[in-house]
Amino acid sequence: MEENKPSMMTYIMEEQEVLSNILKNYPDNCPVIKGNDWLVLATGSSINAAYSAKYYIENILDVYLRIEEPFKFHYYEKLKEETDNVIGISQSGESTSTIDALKAIEKMKPELTIYGLTSKRESELAQVVDEVIDIENGIERVGYVTKGFSATVFKLMLTALKTAKARGLISDQEEEKELTTFAKAIDKISEIIEKTENFFEKWSNELMKAQRFTSLCTGALIGTAMEMQTKFSETIRLPSQGMDIEVFMHGPYFEVNSNHQQFYIDSNSPMNQRLFNLRDYEEKYVGQVYTISLNKSHDDRELGLELEIDEYKAGLFMIIPFQILAHHIAEMKGNNLGQRIYTDFGLAMKSKTKAGDYA
């Protein structure tokens, strides 16, 4: 690897500072979004980020948040009459399907306010929206996004918090409590990284044996499971999936075997006992079962983050171990993540408006 060339870990190590700065800039860095029926268009890690923030947004605001893949929405879905505004998310600002869908919506219903959440204020996405929301994640010149994902989740959550305060749904004291809770958890990101490093060191030999990875969650952590699937697929390049336990229990459980390894995401959900029951059952049939928890570790196969947050905020922090594990397992397998592959894919398939500026 070239000297000073950034890696996934470079940007993971910057997440604490990035999130702290976003919090420091609140509330001036977030808009107040009107209406109670929001449509979010995103793909890839951006749609996973939207799902990671969805239940926080709906919990703190009296809104209905619909999340759609832009290509499918553009060609097959209908725009609901009740839709009040649209939020297009693209960290690069160069996702053609998102840009094209937003253009189509503007023609269908020009009175709608269209927001663009992006890290590039001068991007193509920024040119087709009414208001740009800066993700504030700085430069990320690695194809496997990490800090940009987390910053997107946080920016959506804080936008909802500011909107809730503006609508009188929460008091000054409740807003301050939310901000303090976020701040305390952000201050623990360095500890999360250290704990994950130790966890990987202990289980690296076992993790190398896996032929398939699955992460399983309940409810509000679906965005985390989905992003695990994206990151593991991109980097480790083995079959990987992330899903809610109810989806898993209605079909996918038939495929498991001793070459599979599973991660259970414990977010203190009211449905946790069902999660644990499934874990105890699957442990008899898969190679290894691990737990990533908000609480203290109960055994050496559990990575306990020890965060005092509810399940609605958990997605902002519980993705970090998966980001680190994706990088470490990939590198240990000999996947040189610094050497980009399929570099012409975005332009060949017209999924991006131009080639990415990668290190």
Side-chain angles (χ1 to χ4, degrees):
M1 184 176 291
E2 297 173 19
E3 190 176 354
N4 298 324
K5 185 176 180 179
S7 69
M8 275 178 67
M9 286 307 299
T10 304
Y11 297 123
I12 291 169
M13 297 298 291
E14 292 177 4
E15 288 188 48
Q16 184 166 334
E17 181 181 5
V18 166
L19 297 183
S20 294
N21 286 336
I22 292 173
L23 187 60
K24 201 175 296 180
N25 293 333
Y26 179 87
D28 295 339
N29 58 346
C30 296
V32 171
I33 298 184
K34 298 178 180 178
N36 296 317
D37 197 299
W38 301 5
L39 172 63
V40 174
L41 297 177
T43 192
S45 286
S46 293
I47 198 169
N48 300 341
Y51 276 109
S52 293
K54 171 181 169 67
Y55 298 104
Y56 180 87
I57 294 170
E58 291 186 335
N59 188 55
I60 203 166
L61 281 171
D62 182 23
V63 301
Y64 171 75
L65 184 67
R66 182 183 179 192
I67 301 172
E68 294 282 358
E69 288 274 1
F71 185 88
K72 179 171 70 72
F73 182 84
H74 186 183
Y75 290 99
Y76 295 101
E77 300 288 346
K78 292 182 179 179
L79 182 64
K80 285 174 57 183
E81 185 63 35
E82 299 86 353
T83 301
D84 297 307
N85 59 73
V86 181
I87 304 171
I89 308 175
S90 171
Q91 183 177 326
S92 67
E94 297 161 1
S95 296
T96 53
S97 60
T98 304
I99 293 167
D100 290 345
L102 294 177
K103 287 179 179 177
I105 289 171
E106 200 281 329
K107 289 181 180 177
M108 282 188 282
K109 200 173 180 182
E111 67 271 22
L112 275 180
T113 301
I114 299 178
Y115 298 88
L117 185 59
T118 179
S119 63
K120 297 182 180 179
R121 299 189 68 89
E122 306 304 320
S123 64
E124 289 89 337
L125 178 79
Q127 309 308 311
V128 302
V129 301
D130 299 305
E131 184 173 343
V132 176
I133 307 171
D134 189 348
I135 297 175
E136 296 182 82
N137 64 301
I139 296 172
E140 190 162 16
R141 299 187 63 215
V142 173
Y144 320 106
V145 300
T146 51
K147 70 171 181 176
F149 172 87
S150 298
T152 300
V153 176
F154 197 32
K155 205 61 182 284
L156 288 167
M157 288 179 170
L158 288 183
T159 295
L161 181 64
K162 181 176 177 179
T163 302
K165 177 63 175 61
R167 294 185 184 184
L169 297 174
I170 59 172
S171 64
D172 290 344
Q173 292 77 13
E174 288 169 323
E175 180 188 39
E176 189 56 41
K177 183 180 179 182
E178 289 292 288
L179 296 173
T180 300
T181 302
F182 276 126
K184 287 181 178 178
I186 290 168
D187 285 343
K188 284 198 162 191
I189 288 178
S190 58
E191 293 179 27
I192 294 173
I193 294 172
E194 182 180 359
K195 288 176 180 179
T196 307
E197 294 281 3
N198 293 336
F199 184 85
F200 174 76
E201 185 175 343
K202 180 170 185 60
W203 293 107
S204 58
N205 290 334
E206 292 300 320
L207 288 162
M208 283 291 293
K209 297 175 184 177
Q211 294 182 12
R212 183 177 183 86
F213 292 102
T214 302
S215 63
L216 294 160
C217 70
T218 59
L221 271 292
I222 186 60
T224 302
M226 291 168 64
E227 179 63 5
M228 169 272 177
Q229 174 177 307
T230 299
K231 279 293 154 290
F232 274 44
S233 297
E234 288 176 334
T235 59
I236 302 171
R237 297 160 192 167
L238 282 175
S240 302
Q241 59 183 355
M243 63 184 74
D244 188 274
I245 57 172
E246 290 298 326
V247 176
F248 179 80
M249 291 191 290
H250 286 78
Y253 73 93
F254 280 115
E255 72 161 342
V256 302
N257 61 55
S258 60
N259 295 314
H260 294 198
Q261 297 190 18
Q262 296 177 340
F263 294 91
Y264 287 80
I265 307 172
D266 169 15
S267 61
N268 292 332
S269 163
M271 296 179 286
N272 259 7
Q273 191 54 54
R274 195 160 173 78
L275 180 83
F276 299 150
N277 291 345
L278 177 62
R279 180 188 63 187
D280 294 344
Y281 181 90
E282 290 296 307
E283 192 171 15
K284 296 178 287 187
Y285 301 103
V286 299
Q288 285 288 346
V289 166
Y290 312 100
T291 305
I292 296 181
S293 172
L294 286 180
N295 308 306
K296 286 186 177 182
S297 301
H298 292 96
D299 58 59
D300 58 1
R301 286 191 299 171
E302 181 169 9
L303 174 53
L305 306 187
E306 299 183 64
L307 297 177
E308 296 181 5
I309 55 175
D310 58 42
E311 64 173 325
Y312 300 109
K313 301 180 186 69
L316 181 58
F317 303 97
M318 299 191 84
I319 190 57
I320 297 172
F322 288 118
Q323 293 173 339
I324 296 168
L325 291 173
H327 174 271
H328 288 1
I329 298 169
E331 289 287 331
M332 194 171 180
K333 286 181 67 66
N335 299 346
N336 180 2
L337 300 181
Q339 182 64 47
R340 295 191 61 240
I341 59 175
Y342 309 128
T343 54
D344 62 342
F345 185 86
L347 292 180
M349 297 306 301
K350 296 182 173 58
S351 61
K352 298 287 185 179
T353 58
K354 59 186 177 184
D357 179 23
Y358 298 116

